Amino acid sequence: MRFLLLVFFLLFSAVSQAQVSRAKMPSPPPAPSYLNVYLLNPELRYERGNSQELEDRRPLNFALAYQAHKFTLLAEYARFTEDTGNSTSGIDRTHQDLVLWLRYHAFNFEAGNAKFIFYGAAGAGGYEEEVKTTLMGTSRTDKSSLQFMSGLGAGGEATMAVNKGFAFLAGLEGRALFASDFDPNPVWSAIVRLGIQITL
Amino acid sequence: MKRVLSRIIAAICLSGALVACAPQSDSASEAGTVRVLAPMSNSKAGYSLDILELKGIEDLQTVSGHFARFFLSPRIVDNHLQGTAPKGRFIRNGGGDYIPANEITQQLVTVYAHMQRLAQLDEDLGAGGVNKWPRDIGVAVKVKGGVYNNAFYDGKTDSMLFVPYDQQGLPIAINGGILAHEHFHSLFYKLVLKESPYKGNAHDRPEFLNSVGITEEKARERKVLPIMTRIEGEPMDASTQYFYYHAALSRGLNEGLADFWGWMYTGDPDFIAQSLPNERSARSLKAADENSVNALPSLNIVQRALNIYYSSGDEKAMKQYVVGLAYSMATSYSRVMKRFTDIYARERSIDSLQARKDVAKILVKTLPKIAEGFQKLEGRYYTSVDFMVSFIEQLGAMHEAECSFVKDVLNNTNSDLTVKFACKKDEQERWSVEKTAVKAPAESESETASSESVK
């Protein structure tokens, strides 16, 4: 079943790409490209916690992106911890992931110095988790191997140009993060991105 | 617009393909024998983090298998636990071992591991077949009014129930001694209480909090007992006293032997205090003066205590007083059994673990005799002496120090002044306890010639 699903998705994506290729028009004049640095990204993820309810996680999140034409390639690092137990018996889990996102800018608007883009995104990357187990003052640390994860997202971003080479960025994105050990799978996430844009 | 849609579809499909490629969750697919990290008690080193094998696992994500199945905040329907299974979270380390990644997962794994050990222990001690496996276990159990830091065994559902733990000690669900304590209740329920009219007091569903178990609240109840000496009401009638006496005795015996079981399993006389430090003085199996451990709760003392509580005039609180009294009695039973075991180990030059197992084996044989005693009362009171006599009948030949201790316990416990116990040696140097009829002390201190061996 999983194999059939895989074949179906690969065929479908190939056909879609083929249609895009056929519809290609002569290239427009070269558009400027940008380096986006997202310094402050408050994120909320929901996963099943120790209470067995969906609990929110607030990862530390940094991202760096290259934007050109209608695409943005964004590398995102996120890290959060979950501490459970008490001073006698405790478990601290640290999750960190690195995901490479490809955004397609579906809609663009401009108004004065402000630019708005709305995009869909797909990402793939890896994550690892580290667990520190403490019992009566002694502890040990175990680490998982790198695990595959992927994601789908959609969002909007606004740019306010200060001058030709520099702008401030603000965006909001919702996404679903997939991995075999995520619970639930997908993990839902919302992120606000604040940063700067440098024209290359 | 068409191009845009095509690209979005392509991106979605590609991501879907990536998800489809992702391997299935390791823990969800893991079954059979699984190596996990768990805090386990070791009679020599105390608690330590060990990699151990969980056997008979059917689904590691819910830690269900041959020995246990878990229910999250269960409801009770038709005498069964009903509810969803809690989901564990693991990581797999470089050695291929599964490491619990949060507290509840660690608790599921640890309870399962102890159930696996206790199942083997049941077999070793002659109690195999008494319990059905897998055991039903409720975690994060919600009790009306909010109860924390407790564990219960409920006989009607044949399940072990854990309410949340919010103290800073060893969580109850990973305290091997408390798990063994609760497990013993299941043996006591099936071998002693199931047909007893006094089980209701300990296991009534509406009186959920009175289910036998480890409770901290009981310590507070005990603290108020000594001040309840104000005589206001009428004395108790015979049938009420008879009921309350046996309710207190059966529960005290159940709790005391369960405490012994916890010590037998862990070797830690303060296993309860690991989780409930406030219980240390009341529930420790280690007495400040070991020589003071030489009596069980006597018929007279228990009756007198019940009369005092009853005469206080607060009938509503009577049930609580009985519970408090039972816990006080329990400590006597557990300490006497521990001291006997220590003497047994010394006399026979065996290590403590072997001695604990030997005595536990004798206790397993004694439990059906206690049930027989309860069933054949016909108006008579079942006493701690009856229990001790049943125990030494199953024990067989004793060594001199063992016999001397048992004889002292029997004489100090016995409320019948016409009977005394003495040690007797046979030709093969084997010791046994002999019951001797004596005249009333006021008339004569000399013993009569009539005697009857209890072994």
Side-chain angles (χ1 to χ4, degrees), chain B residues 383-450:
Chain B
T383 66
S384 301
V385 170
D386 295 327
F387 158 70
M388 205 62 197
V389 167
S390 295
F391 175 75
I392 56 176
E393 278 174 358
Q394 302 308 314
L395 173 64
M398 287 182 272
H399 289 210
E400 186 177 4
E402 295 163 7
C403 185
S404 173
F405 174 69
V406 169
K407 179 248 315 172
D408 287 346
V409 169
L410 285 167
N411 284 328
N412 294 334
T413 306
N414 185 27
S415 297
D416 183 355
L417 297 177
T418 65
V419 169
K420 266 209 155 218
F421 294 89
C423 283
K424 193 179 99 178
K425 186 169 69 168
D426 68 11
E427 303 81 33
Q428 289 156 324
E429 302 277 313
R430 293 181 308 189
W431 291 82
S432 61
V433 172
E434 187 180 67
K435 189 160 92 177
T436 310
V438 292
K439 287 179 184 169
E443 295 168 21
S444 164
E445 285 186 356
S446 64
E447 296 178 0
T448 68
S450 89

Side-chain angles (χ1 to χ4, degrees), chain A residues 9-151:
Chain A
F9 277 129
L10 285 175
L11 283 177
F12 213 113
S13 58
V15 168
S16 301
Q17 281 297 339
Q19 282 177 341
V20 171
S21 301
R22 279 201 305 276
K24 266 189 176 171
M25 303 292 288
S27 298
S33 55
Y34 306 96
L35 175 69
N36 298 346
V37 182
Y38 301 92
L39 301 168
L40 190 63
N41 303 323
E43 186 189 358
L44 265 185
R45 289 186 192 182
Y46 287 90
E47 63 168 18
R48 193 181 310 281
N50 188 56
S51 66
Q52 297 288 299
E53 306 285 337
L54 287 185
E55 295 175 0
D56 62 288
R57 307 276 175 252
R58 294 161 191 265
L60 183 73
N61 188 307
F62 297 108
L64 200 66
Y66 173 75
Q67 184 180 327
H69 305 288
K70 283 181 166 277
F71 293 94
T72 303
L73 191 64
L74 181 142
E76 180 189 72
Y77 169 80
R79 173 195 171 100
F80 66 84
T81 58
E82 180 195 19
D83 299 343
T84 55
N86 60 19
S87 55
T88 303
S89 173
I91 295 179
D92 303 341
R93 173 174 69 105
T94 302
H95 168 103
Q96 49 187 346
D97 58 54
L98 185 63
V99 180
L100 201 62
W101 293 91
L102 182 65
R103 289 177 181 172
Y104 175 73
H105 307 167
F107 306 104
N108 298 294
F109 302 98
E110 280 190 42
N113 286 344
K115 286 182 188 170
F116 301 91
I117 58 169
F118 293 92
Y119 58 85
Y127 74 96
E128 64 174 24
E129 295 198 326
E130 188 178 279
V131 170
K132 184 181 175 195
T133 312
T134 305
L135 180 72
M136 295 173 166
T138 61
S139 65
R140 60 173 279 165
T141 302
D142 295 270
K143 208 171 192 174
S144 73
S145 55
L146 194 67
Q147 308 281 308
F148 174 79
M149 70 181 281
S150 60

Side-chain angles (χ1 to χ4, degrees), chain A residues 135-188:
Chain A
L135 180 72
M136 295 173 166
T138 61
S139 65
R140 60 173 279 165
T141 302
D142 295 270
K143 208 171 192 174
S144 73
S145 55
L146 194 67
Q147 308 281 308
F148 174 79
M149 70 181 281
S150 60
L152 284 176
E157 200 164 85
T159 320
M160 178 61 74
V162 177
N163 55 43
K164 270 194 170 179
F166 184 84
F168 287 107
L169 279 170
L172 179 67
E173 183 180 314
R175 64 263 187 91
L177 304 170
F178 301 87
S180 59
D181 272 334
F182 281 1
D183 183 16
N185 191 13
V187 163
W188 297 99

Side-chain angles (χ1 to χ4, degrees), chain B residues 295-316:
Chain B
L296 293 172
S298 73
L299 175 66
N300 286 350
I301 285 175
V302 177
Q303 283 179 327
R304 204 175 304 141
L306 287 170
N307 277 321
I308 289 169
Y309 303 147
Y310 192 83
S311 300
S312 71
D314 188 355
E315 275 192 66
K316 280 183 187 169

